[in-house]
Amino acid sequence: MIKKYMYGSPVNTGAVIENIELSEDPMQYLNEIIDKDGNYLFTYLMNDDDIVYGLGEANRGLNKRGYIYENNCTDVPDQTEDKRSFYGAHNFIVLSGMISVGIFVDCGAKVTFDIGYTAYNMLKIIPSSPDFTVYIIEGRSAYDIVKQFRGLIGRSYIAPRWAFGYQQSRWSYENEDEVRQVVKNHRENNIPLDAVYLDIDYMEGYKDFTVSEERFPDFPQFVQEMRDEGIRLIPIIDAGVKIENGYELYEEGRQYQFFCKKTDGTDFVASVWPGRTHFPDFLNSNARMWFGSKYKKLTDAGIEGFWNDMNEPAMFNTPEGINEAVETQKSFDFSTNDSGKFFELGGMVTGLANREKDYQSFFHNMDGKIVRHDQVHNLYGYNMTRAASEAFDHISPDKRMLLFSRASYIGMHRYGGIWTGDNQSWWSHLLLNIKMMPSLNMCGFLYSGADLGGFGCNCTRDLLLRWLAFGIFTPLMRNHSAKGTRRQECYNLGETEEFKNILSIRYSLIPYLYSEYMKACLNDDMFFKPLSFEYPADDFARNIEDQLMVGESIMIAPVYEQNARGRYVYLPEDMLLVIFKSSSQRRFQQLKKGLHYIPAALDEVPLFIRKNKMLPLCRTSECTDKMDTSMFEIIAYTSENIEFEMYEDDGVSKNYDDPKNMVHFAIRELDGQLGAVSDKTIVKLSLF
Amino acid sequence: MIKKYMYGSPVNTGAVIENIELSEDPMQYLNEIIDKDGNYLFTYLMNDDDIVYGLGEANRGLNKRGYIYENNCTDVPDQTEDKRSFYGAHNFIVLSGMISVGIFVDCGAKVTFDIGYTAYNMLKIIPSSPDFTVYIIEGRSAYDIVKQFRGLIGRSYIAPRWAFGYQQSRWSYENEDEVRQVVKNHRENNIPLDAVYLDIDYMEGYKDFTVSEERFPDFPQFVQEMRDEGIRLIPIIDAGVKIENGYELYEEGRQYQFFCKKTDGTDFVASVWPGRTHFPDFLNSNARMWFGSKYKKLTDAGIEGFWNDMNEPAMFNTPEGINEAVETQKSFDFSTNDSGKFFELGGMVTGLANREKDYQSFFHNMDGKIVRHDQVHNLYGYNMTRAASEAFDHISPDKRMLLFSRASYIGMHRYGGIWTGDNQSWWSHLLLNIKMMPSLNMCGFLYSGADLGGFGCNCTRDLLLRWLAFGIFTPLMRNHSAKGTRRQECYNLGETEEFKNILSIRYSLIPYLYSEYMKACLNDDMFFKPLSFEYPADDFARNIEDQLMVGESIMIAPVYEQNARGRYVYLPEDMLLVIFKSSSQRRFQQLKKGLHYIPAALDEVPLFIRKNKMLPLCRTSECTDKMDTSMFEIIAYTSENIEFEMYEDDGVSKNYDDPKNMVHFAIRELDGQLGAVSDKTIVKLSLF
């Protein structure tokens, strides 16, 4: 049951696809308060045992209680525990306790969720704009509410199957030769690989939709060369368009009035990687169509995937900010060597980036309605990605493209995936990654993942091994790192054997992972689930944040502490522990419901098969192009007849709903003993 | 067995008190390598199962493997996982595995410990100076090696017993009235309190050994007023001496040539809180004596404890740095609004603080020997604290003073304690605090603790409750927070009852904690021990980092995760779980050796009494002055006759070794059943 309440005159964010009538009932659950300035806020008194799920890409745990979150897309690489805003803004929460209720605040401006931060049991929701819509969702359980919500916001973006391959990135692989070498190093070490990313340096002067001729002299040819190796190249696209006379995108954007404008009608200017840029007005449908059409320049060169970056939008500074700083600076008399003044100057310079004041200084033309940016800030990266996605519907109507974004808002989940932005090579960020995945799924973001190994700071061998051991379960499995940090490609951190082995497990799992991902997409369901969603009656499972259900058959419990030899795991039912050393080397152990310590060496990946479930595995391969999905090995934990419906398609076309895409696996009693049955060739059955 | 090896001509750091002959044997265990520049480095190939203990105040886990530590005292409030230097520099490690060996690199300059960071199994030790001494310690076990090392470096500083009371700090309580109010709020809410800290604003213009007359018009009178309330005031002393004509400390320091000097013979200048300052040459014994004597200004006013701060020494900038920045700045043409230049300027300003170049630009006169600062950098804060400690031997020869420092080096542990510097209100810093305590003990720092609740960032109610639940076991138990952060005194985070109750447990435990602390001090032993030190044969206990042995009777397992309802605990033997809700409200449960999940609500403190051990508790009190140690309650976990020797003295005098200080407790069979026996009144025996 979903009820809708409107406040002020909200713009249509496009988050919701169902047309719901405004409710005439008074709002239940939340207390609506109007403060002395006329602003709305909503409160709810939580019980001690209530859990608050949701918020998608946000800081801290699966249970969001005990902190304050300011949902406002922000470029925040230094994601320490105190940060309140991340790259995405996902205003959906589920209160789960004596009552279960979902709340979605549909608002393009910042929305603050104070979940027991200011007062321990008090939930406060504070939209920063007077214009917003609130959806209240009642349901039988948190999981039921999530599924209703997912229906409300529409089917999630569906990635091609090759995007489940391992992907390698770096800011930046500078030219053809470096990319070739990266691929060669993977292939020579038998480390599977499906894609290499091109970060900002592939462009000519950081100009979108250009390719440096010096670095990539014959780009289409090089794309094909890589394609022949089973490798896709994934170029980055930034939000800001370089101001440069003669640059097509700049000239057209000015001509068609497609850039965001200031009050005086001139185009808003901010500095990012290319220097001074204009921001395309992605909230304008014509501008979206125009910008989206430019992706064709690269798809024509054979490109099949993109990542949209810097689209919070991040700003290093604006001319207005610099002018203010220059003016202030003039009043400093440096000849006195006043150290206090120097600190003031330092703070002033730092403060130039991503200033709220700048976000308040430019405007969008939402197909006729002029809206100040800060009122729709969280819709910006969303609509950049929508621009690309809608263009792809024309450019390649029958073929899926890989597309994901840094900034996002609910609604964007229909157009692309996300990566979780610039994280760090910290063990705590591996844990953050684990806890965040189900929250993202609740908000519709299924194709997602973090920068494995961490973007900033220097990665260590053990951190990368443990992070990959989790990453093999995330749909987006990308190793990415920043300029200036230690090289963290799998062949750069000592003995490659263990990395190769961990990735071989991924490639054996792809049919299962892809199946469960697709089933989640097609059924508005989750790929990663908290244990509590599968075992709602289990009070102990309810508070577990570091174990996840992955699809219908398995549970994972990643190791995320340095020097740990394993970890504590709680089994909500009897399960079969499989410890993989590689796709083909495994140990099995049947474990009883309850508490266990699971030893897991650095090169081992434990997973747990649920009772009466099975896990199909294919042989590993060096890339998805070479995957053989005609033959399967089945690991099953059952003494009864069981079934598993595996989704399988060609991985690129869009006939998702074809019933032929369901492959049937069964364990059945045949001649007095259990055997595996499928249209697929079953090469081996491991039955427990 | 300790062997000593000398390289170059090291200065006497004073770290070691035993006079050991230089070994004529070749160095075992470590490979000595001289690189192409003639610098020494030492390597050791670790086995997969080796644990590396030590490094005292350092980042990451109890097992230091997997990272690189640059031991170089640094002002580093933002202690994220990637940081390599903390406030202290403690160059002692223990390799523990097939062989056990201790290594102490006695060197006043930076020493790098690369413990499997660059190459996974390779330990590298790299002194940055050619002059240093290496001690190699062989022993039966890691614990045995630690005890030998502790004998080598001499008896740890002994704090007065009142310093085990709860202490409240803030940067800053600005004046008498605010301090009064803090005390009043504690007393009115029955929250025990023994001390309030005065941060930098109590001074007149941040001038050491001055007190602002405006803020504290009659300081001695106010000190007495607080003393009558059972409260000690603990003023801060900073390293830098303000340059101000007529200011006694400045004038004398110049007159006697007691400040650090530059090559040209002029006094080195750096800006810190007071603005421009000179740094006293604490490495000069006369300067030490002079500076130390100034503490008398405050002890004469009734002060009984100090914290020495900013003594890495931290520097905001130097005139040389500013001059360079001003020169560079002149070349910037801001009229072009070049944003790149603005970033350059920002970086330049940030880079002015704690510049290595500045540390290389001044000199010490070590009683005749002129030494460049960077060669003895890690001895600076140490010798500031030594100055105070040696002065106290004259000022109050019979009475213990509270003294602790931010910067430290091994050797300083004889003169004072440490707090672990500026941390943050992060759950990860609570865990860091837990893991660091035994490492500090290994290096001789027994009187220590972290800023409970976190110094920087905003604390939440649950974080403070959980942090206090650990803090009640740390000798230094101080709640401290920074200007601009949320107030985190116990009465400022909602219902005070739970805070009061947790602190009541501390006050019941003080006789035990003080006893175990004193026994550790007097016997060169540890107060906090890793489980592996007590249960060396237990392979599972060996890798546990988040449970600690506290004294001889108990083990603790603090909860350090937000929203956790308890935690996993491994018992290396049968133990008695005691869950305290307050000093008088407890639940008991006998638990078997092995793995358990221990529920612990936010207001509960679990502790574990070892088999055949007992825990004496006194009644709680509002401050240590009011503690009644004539009556004890005993919780004992035994079916046999057992004994416990509790150290007790008057808490302030120095006759530590008086045998009368040992109080005997026994559980004995009397008339066919076990009963408690002591010279103390036993008001209750809870026997399990």
Side-chain angles (χ1 to χ4, degrees):
Chain A
M1 179 64 187
I2 304 180
K3 290 183 180 168
K4 177 178 175 181
Y5 301 87
M6 192 184 289
Y7 296 79
S9 312
V11 300
N12 179 10
T13 66
V16 162
I17 56 158
E18 280 183 34
N19 198 0
I20 293 181
E21 293 297 308
L22 290 176
S23 174
E24 292 178 359
D25 303 338
M27 187 184 281
Q28 271 183 293
Y29 309 109
L30 297 180
N31 298 308
E32 177 188 304
I33 297 170
I34 304 176
D35 74 9
K36 60 184 188 321
D37 302 319
N39 301 317
Y40 283 95
L41 72 102
F42 301 88
T43 64
Y44 177 84
L45 189 63
M46 298 179 285
N47 284 308
D48 277 351
D49 287 339
D50 285 351
I51 288 178
V52 179
Y53 295 106
L55 295 187
E57 188 185 321
N59 210 345
R60 302 210 174 197
L62 180 62
N63 183 352
K64 308 313 288 184
R65 286 187 72 156
Y67 207 58
I68 181 167
Y69 308 86
E70 297 176 356
N71 286 3
N72 197 47
C73 298
T74 303
D75 182 7
V76 57
D78 189 32
Q79 299 180 345
T80 49
E81 280 176 49
D82 51 295
K83 296 299 185 297
R84 298 176 177 195
S85 305
F86 276 9
Y87 293 89
H90 307 146
N91 303 332
F92 172 61
I93 59 170
V94 183
L95 285 160
S96 173
M98 295 281 280
I99 60 152
S100 288
V101 59
I103 302 159
F104 174 48
V105 181
D106 192 11
C107 175
K110 181 177 83 175
V111 180
T112 299
F113 290 81
D114 178 342
I115 309 181
Y117 168 80
T118 302
Y120 190 64
N121 277 332
M122 184 60 76
L123 166 70
K124 284 190 217 170
I125 304 173
I126 311 154
S128 70
S129 159
D131 305 310
F132 57 91
T133 310
V134 177
Y135 296 85
I136 301 287
I137 308 172
E138 293 174 316
R140 294 184 310 278
S141 66
Y143 187 21
D144 176 53
I145 287 165
V146 165
K147 282 191 284 194
Q148 287 189 58
F149 176 64
R150 293 282 305 286
L152 179 68
I153 60 173
R155 183 178 280 183
S156 295
Y157 159 76
I158 293 179
R161 196 187 61 178
W162 61 261
F164 279 70
Y166 179 60
Q167 313 186 41
Q168 182 60 52
S169 186
R170 173 83 178 174
W171 170 35
S172 294
Y173 298 127
E174 301 250 339
N175 54 36
E176 277 187 13
D177 280 345
E178 192 174 1
V179 173
R180 266 189 202 103
Q181 194 58 50
V182 167
V183 173
K184 188 159 174 266
N185 289 340
H186 281 84
R187 293 284 181 255
E188 284 182 356
N189 288 292
N190 296 309
I191 302 166
L193 187 67
D194 259 83
V196 175
Y197 280 70
L198 301 179
D199 209 321
I200 50 174
D201 297 290
Y202 82 91
M203 291 182 268
E204 183 65 49
Y206 306 119
K207 296 199 289 277
D208 278 338
F209 309 114
T210 69
V211 176
S212 162
E213 290 193 12
E214 191 188 331
R215 296 157 189 266
F216 297 89
D218 186 343
F219 192 62
Q221 162 60 31
F222 184 62
V223 172
Q224 186 58 49
E225 176 190 330
M226 288 294 102
R227 199 58 201 74
D228 295 342
E229 287 277 353
I231 299 294
R232 265 88 172 180
L233 295 180
I234 316 291
I236 198 169
I237 303 293
D238 278 2
V241 170
K242 184 172 189 179
I243 297 175
E244 185 180 279
N245 288 331
Y247 169 39
E248 180 187 294
L249 206 63
Y250 164 72
E251 297 287 0
E252 289 182 4
R254 275 181 63 87
Q255 184 186 338
Y256 303 140
Q257 307 278 316
F258 281 157
F259 294 128
C260 293
K261 293 194 179 301
K262 296 190 291 183
T263 326
D264 64 4
T266 63
D267 292 335
F268 174 73
V269 177
S271 288
V272 260
W273 296 117
R276 300 267 166 110
T277 66
H278 291 319
F279 287 150
D281 187 355
F282 296 118
L283 275 64
N284 179 284
S285 58
N286 291 325
R288 258 198 320 273
M289 205 180 306
W290 161 74
F291 191 88
S293 70
K294 301 301 176 187
Y295 283 82
K296 192 162 183 299
K297 288 177 185 287
L298 292 162
T299 57
D300 282 349
I303 292 299
E304 298 167 74
F306 296 89
W307 47 317
N308 285 342
D309 196 14
M310 299 294 283
N311 53 3
E312 292 72 27
M315 298 190 264
F316 299 161
N317 52 59
T318 58
E320 292 77 10
I322 295 218
N323 281 338
E324 286 175 33
V326 166
E327 282 309 306
T328 314
Q329 181 266 155
K330 278 181 188 157
S331 70
F332 292 169
D333 178 5
F334 291 111
S335 62
T336 64
N337 284 348
D338 182 334
S339 62
K341 286 288 182 192
F342 259 85
F343 275 105
E344 202 179 311
L345 184 61
M348 199 175 69
V349 173
T350 313
L352 288 177
N354 308 318
R355 291 199 309 172
E356 191 52 32
K357 192 172 173 182
D358 289 322
Y359 290 122
Q360 291 165 353
S361 75
F362 64 97
F363 294 83
H364 298 274
N365 178 348
M366 292 186 75
D367 299 350
K369 184 172 182 179
I370 305 301
V371 185
R372 202 172 76 179
H373 176 79
D374 62 322
Q375 295 300 301
V376 287
H377 174 73
N378 292 332
L379 309 181
Y380 190 75
Y382 161 10
N383 278 284
M384 176 188 183
T385 300
R386 182 177 171 190
S389 172
E390 289 175 341
F392 297 156
D393 287 342
H394 298 285
I395 295 169
S396 71
D398 301 321
K399 195 178 85 172
R400 288 176 247 170
M401 301 286 284
L402 173 59
L403 178 62
F404 59 92
S405 174
R406 194 169 75 179
S408 61
Y409 181 82
I410 290 171
M412 200 205 84
H413 70 285
R414 299 194 305 273
Y415 301 104
I418 54 175
W419 90 101
T420 58
D422 296 350
N423 60 2
Q424 305 287 330
S425 295
W426 296 342
W427 290 84
S428 56
H429 277 184
L430 162 54
L431 180 57
L432 183 64
N433 186 190
I434 296 167
K435 293 183 175 182
M436 199 190 284
M437 295 313 292
S439 305
L440 290 174
N441 279 201
M442 292 175 203
C443 296
F445 294 95
L446 297 186
Y447 188 78
S448 60
D451 288 348
L452 303 175
F455 177 70
C457 297
N458 294 316
C459 192
T460 55
R461 174 180 171 79
D462 53 353
L463 177 58
L464 185 59
L465 282 167
R466 292 297 195 193
W467 212 325
L468 290 177
F470 170 62
I472 62 172
F473 298 101
T474 61
L476 167 59
M477 187 189 185
R478 184 177 75 143
N479 177 338
H480 182 43
S481 58
K483 199 161 275 197
T485 63
R486 188 178 191 176
R487 291 270 161 179
Q488 70 190 38
E489 293 82 8
C490 288
Y491 50 81
N492 275 325
L493 286 161
E495 299 290 314
T496 59
E497 191 73 10
E498 293 173 357
F499 294 100
K500 181 197 90 173
N501 286 343
I502 285 183
L503 289 174
S504 74
I505 306 166
R506 166 70 167 200
Y507 278 75
S508 286
L509 283 169
I510 285 178
Y512 173 77
L513 297 173
Y514 179 70
S515 161
E516 300 309 286
Y517 162 79
M518 289 301 295
K519 282 151 66 178
C521 287
L522 300 176
N523 301 318
D524 298 334
D525 206 336
M526 295 167 72
F527 173 78
F528 285 115
K529 283 194 284 278
L531 270 57
S532 57
F533 280 33
E534 285 290 342
Y535 306 95
D538 185 326
D539 274 348
F540 193 82
R542 208 173 124 74
N543 294 305
I544 290 179
E545 303 212 339
D546 59 0
Q547 304 174 206
L548 302 176
M549 308 308 297
V550 183
E552 72 168 69
S553 297
I554 67 174
M555 181 183 82
I556 58 170
V559 176
Y560 51 82
E561 288 176 337
Q562 190 165 34
N563 296 316
R565 262 71 168 171
R567 54 161 290 172
Y568 298 112
V569 177
Y570 172 74
L571 302 191
E573 59 177 326
D574 294 356
M575 290 186 181
L576 175 68
L577 166 64
V578 191
I579 295 188
F580 289 80
K581 254 194 195 301
S582 71
S583 60
S584 55
Q585 294 169 274
R586 313 152 200 152
R587 303 197 307 273
F588 300 94
Q589 192 181 354
Q590 293 179 52
L591 295 174
K592 289 285 171 199
K593 173 175 164 44
L595 183 53
H596 299 269
Y597 183 89
I598 306 298
L602 256 189
D603 60 344
E604 292 180 334
V605 180
L607 67 75
F608 302 84
I609 299 179
R610 298 173 69 181
K611 188 78 191 166
N612 298 324
K613 299 288 179 187
M614 71 179 89
L615 178 65
L617 297 167
C618 70
R619 287 188 60 175
T620 193
S621 51
E622 72 171 19
C623 59
T624 54
D625 286 353
K626 297 194 178 167
M627 269 178 60
D628 177 357
T629 61
S630 66
M631 292 188 295
F632 279 87
E633 179 179 349
I634 304 289
I635 306 174
Y637 184 40
T638 186
S639 52
E640 301 167 18
N641 290 359
I642 56 170
E643 323 262 319
F644 177 69
E645 300 290 325
M646 187 178 82
Y647 179 95
E648 186 189 48
D649 60 16
D650 63 11
V652 289
S653 65
K654 297 182 176 175
N655 59 336
Y656 315 121
D657 299 304
D658 187 336
K660 288 202 297 287
N661 293 342
M662 298 313 297
V663 178
H664 192 74
F665 289 91
I667 304 293
R668 280 209 205 118
E669 196 172 316
L670 302 164
D671 304 326
Q673 69 180 52
L674 290 177
V677 178
S678 177
D679 294 337
K680 298 286 185 183
T681 306
I682 307 292
V683 292
K684 188 177 174 192
L685 171 66
S686 301
L687 188 63
F688 296 85
Chain B
M1 179 66 188
I2 305 181
K3 290 183 179 167
K4 177 178 176 182
Y5 302 87
M6 194 184 286
Y7 296 80
S9 311
V11 300
N12 179 10
T13 67
V16 162
I17 57 159
E18 279 183 34
N19 198 357
I20 293 182
E21 294 296 309
L22 289 176
S23 174
E24 292 178 1
D25 303 339
M27 187 184 282
Q28 273 185 292
Y29 309 108
L30 297 181
N31 298 310
E32 178 187 303
I33 296 170
I34 304 177
D35 74 10
K36 58 183 191 320
D37 302 321
N39 301 317
Y40 284 96
L41 73 101
F42 301 88
T43 65
Y44 177 85
L45 189 63
M46 297 179 285
N47 283 307
D48 276 351
D49 287 338
D50 285 351
I51 289 177
V52 178
Y53 295 107
L55 295 187
E57 188 184 321
N59 210 345
R60 303 211 172 196
L62 181 60
N63 182 353
K64 309 313 288 185
R65 286 187 73 156
Y67 208 59
I68 182 168
Y69 308 87
E70 297 177 355
N71 285 2
N72 197 47
C73 298
T74 302
D75 182 5
V76 55
D78 189 32
Q79 299 179 346
T80 49
E81 280 176 49
D82 51 294
K83 296 298 186 297
R84 298 177 176 193
S85 305
F86 275 11
Y87 293 89
H90 308 145
N91 304 332
F92 172 61
I93 59 171
V94 183
L95 284 160
S96 173
M98 295 280 279
I99 60 154
S100 288
V101 60
I103 301 160
F104 174 48
V105 181
D106 192 11
C107 175
K110 180 177 83 175
V111 180
T112 299
F113 290 81
D114 178 343
I115 309 182
Y117 168 80
T118 302
Y120 191 64
N121 277 332
M122 184 61 77
L123 167 70
K124 284 191 216 170
I125 304 174
I126 310 154
S128 70
S129 160
D131 305 310
F132 58 90
T133 310
V134 176
Y135 295 85
I136 301 287
I137 308 172
E138 293 175 315
R140 295 185 309 279
S141 65
Y143 187 21
D144 175 53
I145 287 165
V146 165
K147 283 191 282 196
Q148 287 187 59
F149 177 65
R150 295 282 305 285
L152 179 69
I153 60 173
R155 182 178 280 183
S156 294
Y157 159 78
I158 294 178
R161 194 187 63 179
W162 61 261
F164 278 70
Y166 178 61
Q167 312 185 41
Q168 182 60 51
S169 186
R170 174 84 179 173
W171 170 35
S172 297
Y173 298 126
E174 301 250 341
N175 54 37
E176 277 188 13
D177 279 345
E178 192 173 1
V179 173
R180 267 189 203 103
Q181 194 58 48
V182 168
V183 173
K184 188 159 173 268
N185 288 341
H186 281 85
R187 292 286 181 253
E188 284 181 357
N189 288 292
N190 296 309
I191 302 166
L193 187 67
D194 260 83
V196 175
Y197 281 71
L198 301 179
D199 208 319
I200 51 174
D201 297 290
Y202 81 92
M203 291 183 269
E204 183 67 48
Y206 307 119
K207 295 199 290 278
D208 278 339
F209 309 114
T210 68
V211 176
S212 162
E213 290 194 12
E214 190 189 329
R215 295 157 189 265
F216 296 91
D218 187 342
F219 191 62
Q221 162 60 32
F222 183 62
V223 172
Q224 186 58 50
E225 177 191 328
M226 289 293 103
R227 199 61 201 74
D228 295 342
E229 286 277 354
I231 300 295
R232 266 86 172 182
L233 295 180
I234 317 291
I236 200 168
I237 304 293
D238 278 1
V241 170
K242 183 172 189 178
I243 296 175
E244 184 179 281
N245 287 331
Y247 169 39
E248 180 187 292
L249 207 63
Y250 164 72
E251 297 287 359
E252 288 182 6
R254 276 182 62 88
Q255 183 186 340
Y256 303 140
Q257 307 278 315
F258 281 159
F259 294 128
C260 293
K261 291 193 181 301
K262 294 190 291 185
T263 325
D264 65 4
T266 62
D267 293 334
F268 172 75
V269 178
S271 287
V272 260
W273 296 118
R276 300 266 166 112
T277 66
H278 292 319
F279 287 151
D281 186 357
F282 295 119
L283 274 63
N284 178 284
S285 58
N286 291 325
R288 259 199 318 274
M289 204 179 306
W290 161 73
F291 191 89
S293 70
K294 301 301 176 187
Y295 284 81
K296 192 162 183 299
K297 289 178 185 288
L298 292 163
T299 57
D300 282 350
I303 292 298
E304 297 167 75
F306 297 89
W307 47 318
N308 286 342
D309 196 13
M310 299 294 283
N311 52 4
E312 293 72 28
M315 297 190 265
F316 299 161
N317 52 59
T318 58
E320 291 78 10
I322 295 218
N323 281 338
E324 285 174 33
V326 166
E327 282 309 306
T328 314
Q329 181 266 156
K330 278 181 188 159
S331 70
F332 292 169
D333 178 5
F334 291 111
S335 62
T336 65
N337 285 348
D338 182 335
S339 62
K341 286 290 181 191
F342 258 86
F343 275 105
E344 202 178 311
L345 184 62
M348 198 176 70
V349 173
T350 315
L352 288 177
N354 309 317
R355 291 200 309 172
E356 191 53 32
K357 193 171 174 183
D358 289 322
Y359 289 124
Q360 291 165 353
S361 75
F362 65 96
F363 295 82
H364 298 274
N365 178 347
M366 292 185 76
D367 298 351
K369 184 172 182 179
I370 305 301
V371 186
R372 201 172 76 179
H373 176 79
D374 63 322
Q375 295 299 300
V376 288
H377 174 72
N378 291 333
L379 310 180
Y380 190 76
Y382 161 12
N383 278 283
M384 177 189 182
T385 300
R386 181 177 173 190
S389 172
E390 288 174 343
F392 298 156
D393 287 343
H394 298 285
I395 295 169
S396 73
D398 302 321
K399 195 179 87 173
R400 287 177 250 170
M401 301 286 284
L402 173 59
L403 178 63
F404 59 92
S405 175
R406 193 169 76 178
S408 62
Y409 180 82
I410 290 170
M412 201 205 84
H413 69 286
R414 299 195 303 274
Y415 301 105
I418 52 176
W419 90 103
T420 58
D422 295 350
N423 59 2
Q424 304 288 330
S425 295
W426 296 343
W427 290 84
S428 56
H429 277 184
L430 162 54
L431 180 57
L432 182 65
N433 185 191
I434 296 167
K435 292 183 176 183
M436 198 190 285
M437 296 313 291
S439 306
L440 290 173
N441 280 201
M442 292 175 203
C443 296
F445 294 95
L446 297 186
Y447 189 79
S448 58
D451 287 349
L452 303 174
F455 177 69
C457 297
N458 294 318
C459 192
T460 55
R461 173 179 172 80
D462 53 353
L463 177 57
L464 185 59
L465 281 167
R466 292 295 195 194
W467 211 326
L468 290 176
F470 171 62
I472 61 172
F473 298 101
T474 62
L476 167 59
M477 187 189 186
R478 182 176 77 142
N479 177 337
H480 183 42
S481 58
K483 200 162 277 197
T485 64
R486 188 177 191 176
R487 292 271 162 176
Q488 71 190 38
E489 294 82 7
C490 288
Y491 48 81
N492 275 324
L493 287 161
E495 298 289 313
T496 59
E497 190 73 10
E498 293 172 357
F499 294 101
K500 181 196 93 174
N501 285 343
I502 286 184
L503 290 173
S504 76
I505 305 166
R506 166 72 166 201
Y507 278 75
S508 286
L509 282 169
I510 285 178
Y512 172 77
L513 297 173
Y514 178 70
S515 162
E516 301 308 289
Y517 163 79
M518 289 301 295
K519 283 151 64 178
C521 287
L522 300 176
N523 302 317
D524 298 333
D525 205 336
M526 295 166 70
F527 173 78
F528 285 114
K529 284 196 284 279
L531 270 56
S532 58
F533 280 32
E534 285 290 343
Y535 307 94
D538 185 328
D539 273 347
F540 193 83
R542 208 174 125 73
N543 294 306
I544 291 179
E545 303 214 338
D546 60 359
Q547 304 175 204
L548 301 176
M549 309 307 299
V550 184
E552 72 168 70
S553 298
I554 67 174
M555 182 183 82
I556 60 169
V559 176
Y560 51 82
E561 287 175 338
Q562 189 164 34
N563 295 319
R565 262 71 168 171
R567 55 161 290 173
Y568 298 113
V569 177
Y570 172 74
L571 302 190
E573 61 178 324
D574 294 356
M575 291 187 179
L576 175 68
L577 166 64
V578 191
I579 294 187
F580 288 81
K581 254 195 194 302
S582 73
S583 61
S584 55
Q585 295 170 274
R586 312 154 202 151
R587 303 197 307 275
F588 301 94
Q589 191 180 356
Q590 294 178 51
L591 295 174
K592 289 287 170 198
K593 172 175 166 41
L595 181 53
H596 300 269
Y597 183 90
I598 305 298
L602 256 189
D603 61 343
E604 291 180 332
V605 180
L607 67 75
F608 301 84
I609 299 179
R610 300 174 66 182
K611 189 76 191 167
N612 297 324
K613 300 288 179 187
M614 72 178 88
L615 179 65
L617 297 166
C618 70
R619 286 188 59 176
T620 193
S621 52
E622 72 172 19
C623 59
T624 55
D625 285 354
K626 297 193 177 167
M627 268 177 61
D628 177 357
T629 61
S630 66
M631 292 189 297
F632 280 87
E633 178 178 348
I634 304 288
I635 306 173
Y637 184 39
T638 186
S639 52
E640 301 167 18
N641 289 359
I642 56 169
E643 323 262 319
F644 177 69
E645 300 290 326
M646 186 178 82
Y647 180 95
E648 185 189 51
D649 60 16
D650 63 10
V652 290
S653 67
K654 296 183 177 175
N655 59 338
Y656 315 121
D657 299 305
D658 187 336
K660 289 203 297 287
N661 293 343
M662 298 313 296
V663 179
H664 192 74
F665 288 93
I667 304 293
R668 278 206 207 120
E669 195 172 316
L670 303 162
D671 304 326
Q673 68 178 56
L674 290 176
V677 179
S678 176
D679 294 338
K680 298 287 186 181
T681 306
I682 308 292
V683 292
K684 188 177 173 191
L685 171 65
S686 301
L687 188 64
F688 295 87

